[in-house]
Amino acid sequence: MKRLLPLILAFGVSGLGGLGALVAVAAVSATQALYLSAGLVVFVGASIALVALVTRGWPDRTRGRRRAMLIGTTAGIIGFTFTVVVPPAEPALPPEPVASQTSVLLPTGSRIAYVRRPATPREHAEPIIFLHGGPGVPDLAGDTAYFGQLARDGHDVYVYAHIGSGASARLADPAGYTMDRHLADLEAFRRHIGADQVTLIGHSFGASLAAAYVADHPSRVVKTVYSSPGDLDPAAGGASLTPRLSLGRKLEVYAYLMRPRDLLAYTVVQVNPKAAHTLTGDADMDARFDAHYNRTRSALRCDGRPGPELHGLGAYANLYPQSAVRSRTRDRRADLARAGVPGLVIKGSCDYLSWSSAIGYLDVLRKGRLVYLRGAGHNAYQERPNAFLATVRAFLADDPLPVRPYQGRQQPPDFEGPA
């Protein structure tokens, strides 16, 4: 044991050195052979040097040192190979198909999958476009089934998967998944469907996207619904779903995230998303993201039951905007305030996003109202579908809201999310 512990420490330090070299080279080069070789060479070199240092006082140092070096270096190379090569346990499954689903190649270069539910009958010139959350978490089938009901009120309804997610195309460089790219796609999509003006319904990240679009194109939007909206402040930190999970579910999620190959990919994303993409492609990462999302989806609801299982999610579309090297989003709050477009904010009592993120919209929108739905989580339209839809319909029709708008700015006593 006196000999074994220093050797274990030596190989641990060598492993960290190899990982550090890999990440350092990956930060400046996306060439897979280069950064993997750098990590392996540093690991082997450090292993030999440290083992020589640790074993210099061994009485049988020649034979023992050679054996220790051979065993440790071989184990390290096997571990390194396992970390890099072993594929995910879960297969990459496609998203649930939707009847009449189609796609379009936009002038931005994005190939977008979308569904149209035609108005029956068409009574309004402006269509409704639903923008999903995540980023990278579309549910084309479920969102079309739910928000497509608004077609009965005389609106054409469009639901599409953002670039990098669902059945839409993936980008070769994850650094392309920016707010500006999503905004350009939305504007190009509006032009594609031939709409002079639109009504936007944005959920979570989709609400942030809708707000940014209103700020940039105020004359193109009639009204906007912000469902469980993301924070308007670009400097605001993100929120985590895990506090809403049970201890057993948390441990399951943490155990899943501790897989060596996942940890390596997530680490490299922080310094160079393109290098991470060459290490682990979209199919592998999307499969991991699907599995992670489906382990945490119960936290999206107030009752703790899991919502619908989703597949075909966009891992890099989600990871890059949260990485350390992400492009910074411009603060559009002043432009949104000047736009004057009426907005409705819907917030559930169990939303994992902060209360202040919703109030931030009321502080900016001159014609904004907030509806607080008790017994609803982040995906409020899944837990309180009737109240949610009735509220949206009344807002779009300029009728009195069936749920009285929340008065004041203070956090409700029964709100379960962060302040």
Side-chain angles (χ1 to χ4, degrees):
M1 181 58 72
K2 290 181 178 180
R3 292 184 177 186
L4 184 59
L5 183 58
L7 283 174
I8 293 174
L9 291 174
F11 287 118
V13 171
S14 301
L16 291 175
L19 176 61
L22 186 155
V23 173
V25 175
V28 296
S29 173
T31 304
Q32 186 182 48
L34 184 61
Y35 61 76
L36 291 181
S37 297
L40 186 57
V41 166
V42 169
F43 168 76
V44 173
S47 295
I48 293 172
L50 288 174
V51 169
L53 180 65
V54 168
T55 61
R56 62 183 176 178
W58 287 12
D60 55 343
R61 59 180 180 274
T62 300
R63 179 181 298 178
R65 291 167 82 181
R66 287 176 180 173
R67 183 180 300 170
M69 287 180 187
L70 179 62
I71 294 174
T73 304
T74 301
I77 292 173
I78 293 173
F80 182 87
T81 303
F82 173 82
T83 298
V84 173
V85 174
V86 174
E90 298 83 2
L93 300 177
E96 182 181 350
V98 186
S100 73
Q101 177 179 315
T102 186
S103 67
V104 58
L105 179 60
L106 300 173
T108 59
S110 299
R111 180 166 291 281
I112 297 297
Y114 73 95
V115 180
R116 172 179 176 258
R117 287 290 178 262
T120 53
R122 186 174 183 182
E123 298 178 354
H124 301 278
E126 74 280 358
I128 294 172
I129 300 178
F130 175 76
L131 305 172
H132 67 76
V137 186
D139 178 10
L140 213 58
D143 293 335
T144 298
Y146 182 78
F147 291 99
Q149 297 176 84
L150 295 171
R152 296 199 294 266
D153 300 338
H155 297 271
D156 285 344
V157 178
Y158 293 87
V159 181
Y160 75 86
H162 304 160
I163 185 67
S165 63
S168 294
R170 304 304 193 258
L171 299 177
D173 185 354
Y177 297 124
T178 64
M179 178 63 80
D180 287 342
R181 176 62 175 260
H182 290 305
L183 287 168
D185 285 348
L186 177 52
E187 171 61 5
F189 187 76
R190 179 194 65 79
R191 292 173 180 269
H192 169 69
I193 64 177
D196 185 59
Q197 291 185 304
V198 296
T199 289
L200 297 177
I201 301 177
H203 175 66
S204 194
F205 168 76
S208 303
L209 173 58
Y213 184 84
V214 170
D216 288 1
H217 305 279
S219 64
R220 298 300 185 184
V221 184
V222 178
K223 292 181 179 179
T224 308
V225 177
Y226 304 100
S227 166
S228 303
D231 206 303
L232 285 173
D233 184 356
S240 174
L241 282 166
T242 51
R244 292 196 55 80
L245 296 174
S246 65
L247 178 59
R249 183 65 71 177
K250 286 179 185 177
L251 294 175
E252 180 184 349
V253 170
Y254 293 147
Y256 178 79
L257 292 175
M258 290 302 291
R259 295 182 182 184
R261 194 167 187 243
D262 296 351
L263 291 175
L264 180 59
Y266 296 150
T267 300
V268 176
V269 165
Q270 302 306 312
V271 297
N272 188 345
K274 191 171 183 179
H277 193 257
T278 64
L279 173 68
T280 310
D282 288 301
D284 284 357
M285 288 299 284
D286 287 354
R288 287 176 171 82
F289 188 40
D290 286 4
H292 177 255
Y293 172 85
N294 287 317
R295 283 170 168 81
T296 61
R297 56 199 163 101
S298 61
L300 297 169
R301 295 174 60 97
C302 213
D303 57 17
R305 295 186 301 163
E309 186 170 311
L310 300 181
H311 294 283
L313 307 182
Y316 284 110
N318 181 271
L319 290 172
Y320 171 70
Q322 302 178 71
S323 71
V325 293
R326 67 187 181 278
S327 61
R328 303 300 170 180
T329 301
R330 179 170 66 85
D331 191 336
R332 291 175 166 86
R333 283 176 290 184
D335 294 333
L336 182 60
R338 285 191 292 269
V341 175
L344 173 67
V345 180
I346 302 179
K347 185 76 168 175
S349 62
C350 302
D351 191 1
Y352 77 97
L353 294 182
S354 68
W355 178 253
S356 60
S357 66
I359 292 302
Y361 284 75
L362 296 190
D363 292 338
V364 172
L365 299 173
R366 289 185 294 170
K367 301 177 182 178
R369 289 175 286 177
L370 184 148
V371 167
Y372 181 63
L373 291 182
R374 290 180 168 84
H378 185 65
N379 293 351
Y381 54 91
Q382 293 177 351
E383 283 190 281
R384 298 286 308 277
N386 295 333
F388 190 103
L389 193 63
T391 300
V392 170
R393 279 180 159 148
F395 171 70
L396 298 184
D398 291 322
D399 291 337
L401 300 183
V403 179
R404 184 186 178 193
Y406 189 79
Q407 303 299 311
R409 296 289 192 272
Q410 293 298 315
Q411 178 177 316
D414 62 344
F415 180 66
E416 297 182 13

